[in-house]
Structures are given as C-alpha cells and as structure tokens.
C-alpha cells in the first residue's frame, strides 16, 4: 500500500510557480465583482466622503472605473425610487450601505438592509425604492459599464392579465 500523500507526490506547490494563478488586477467573474462591492462597502473611507442627498432626485457619483466595469454610489431620501428598469447589456451587483431599500420585481418585493447584496444579469427588470423614513445609500457595480437603462411600464401593468379579445363576426 502506498502511503505517500498528494503533497509528497507533487512536492510543494509554491516551488512550482508556473502552476500558480497570477493575481488579477481587476475582477472578471460575478463572484469577484460581488467581492469588489463588499470590499468597498466594508471601507467607509472609500465612499462616505462622497455621499450627498438631493431632495429632488436620486443623487449619484461614479466612484471607480476599471476595464469593462463601473462602480457607482447612490443616495436615496425617503420616497425616492428608480422607476421600473433594466440595465441593457450590463450585469450588476447592488449593495446597500446604509438605510433600507426595497427592490420590486414581478416576483414581489424584497427589503434590503445594510449589507444586503443583489446580483443581476442583463435584462433583469426591477425597481428600487426608499420606502423607509430614513435616507439610504447604495453601491452599484455594472459590468460592462452602464450604457443604457431602459424604463418599463409598471409592474401592475406587466402582471395584469390581457383583456380578452372580442371577435365580431
């Protein structure tokens, strides 16, 4: 019976540099983009100085760009919302930094507390609203960078059954 472990057979992997993956300068997978959002969220110094509130519209600030992605900071006073939209060809990660937001889709509503993260693919239709009585701040990573945000009709109109067709002979 052979008692050699895989490590004894292969040797020390650190002695075989050509087998090690090089560290990436920028994220390329969904998990890496979610990790980027979490690392920014965890370091208030990267985003807190840029937060502003605007009573007339959602406020936003582009925090960072990289090859094929953008990171945006948004603030929401009570009652502000995005309207029902998608992000065109972009995928994304939404992370709540402060306050509480509500995400509405055709599947219902979901409360998003600080630390909550939502990951979405191209064509994902949703609405984000600050239904609370306190301001909220969120971080958005889009890849590729956001080039369009098509608006959609209300969820009620999308989910309502079509009127029966009347045929007159």
């Amino acid at each position: 019976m052979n008692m050699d472990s895989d490590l004894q057979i292969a040797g020390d992997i650190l002695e075989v540099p050509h087998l090690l993956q090089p560290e990436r300068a920028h994220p390329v997978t969904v998990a890496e983009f979610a990790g980027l959002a979490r690392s920014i969220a965890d370091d208030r110094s990267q985003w807190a100085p840029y937060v502003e509130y605007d009573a007339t519209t959602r406020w936003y600030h582009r925090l960072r760009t990289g090859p094929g992605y953008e990171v945006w900071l948004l603030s929401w006073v009570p009652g502000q919302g995005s309207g029902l939209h998608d992000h065109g060809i972009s995928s994304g990660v939404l992370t709540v930094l402060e306050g509480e937001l509500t995400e509405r889709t055709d599947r219902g509503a979901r409360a998003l507390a600080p630390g909550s993260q939502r990951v979405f693919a191209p064509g994902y239709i949703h609405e984000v609203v600050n239904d609370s009585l306190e301001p909220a701040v969120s971080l958005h990573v889009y890849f590729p960078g956001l080039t369009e945000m098509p608006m959609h009709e209300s969820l009620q109109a999308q989910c309502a059954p079509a009127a029966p067709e009347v045929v007159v002979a």
Side-chain angles (χ1 to χ4, degrees):
M1 180 170 180
N2 186 353
M3 299 300 286
D4 292 332
S5 71
D6 289 343
L7 182 58
Q8 289 171 327
I9 294 168
D12 185 355
I13 193 158
L14 297 177
E15 296 299 321
V16 193
H18 67 280
L19 296 177
L20 298 175
Q21 292 284 335
E23 186 174 326
R24 293 187 180 126
H26 299 283
V28 296
T29 66
V30 172
E32 289 172 345
F33 282 108
L36 170 65
R38 285 224 181 275
S39 70
I40 294 171
D42 290 344
D43 183 358
R44 289 183 60 85
S45 69
Q46 290 191 51
W47 57 268
Y50 304 102
V51 174
E52 293 183 28
Y53 296 101
D54 186 330
T56 60
T57 186
R58 284 177 302 137
W59 175 90
Y60 51 91
H61 173 77
R62 187 166 57 190
L63 281 179
R64 183 184 300 182
T65 61
Y69 72 92
E70 297 178 321
V71 180
W72 289 87
L73 182 68
L74 279 74
S75 67
W76 315 69
V77 298
Q80 287 180 338
S82 64
L84 192 63
H85 67 282
D86 69 64
H87 303 95
I89 63 167
S90 298
S91 294
V93 179
L94 159 67
T95 305
V96 178
L97 303 175
E98 290 182 345
E100 186 174 289
L101 295 171
T102 302
E103 180 190 38
R104 296 185 183 118
T105 68
D106 60 353
R107 296 179 142 180
R110 175 185 307 225
L112 304 173
S116 296
Q117 234 177 9
R118 299 290 292 143
V119 176
F120 51 87
Y124 179 72
I125 299 172
H126 70 159
E127 176 179 32
V128 180
V129 180
N130 182 352
D131 285 331
S132 76
L133 299 176
E134 300 294 326
V137 180
S138 58
L139 185 76
H140 304 249
V141 180
Y142 299 108
F143 49 98
L146 194 62
T147 58
E148 61 179 326
M149 197 171 111
M151 301 305 288
H152 296 267
E153 57 185 83
S154 74
L155 285 170
Q156 292 81 10
Q158 282 190 339
C159 299
E165 186 175 317
V166 177
V167 179
V168 180

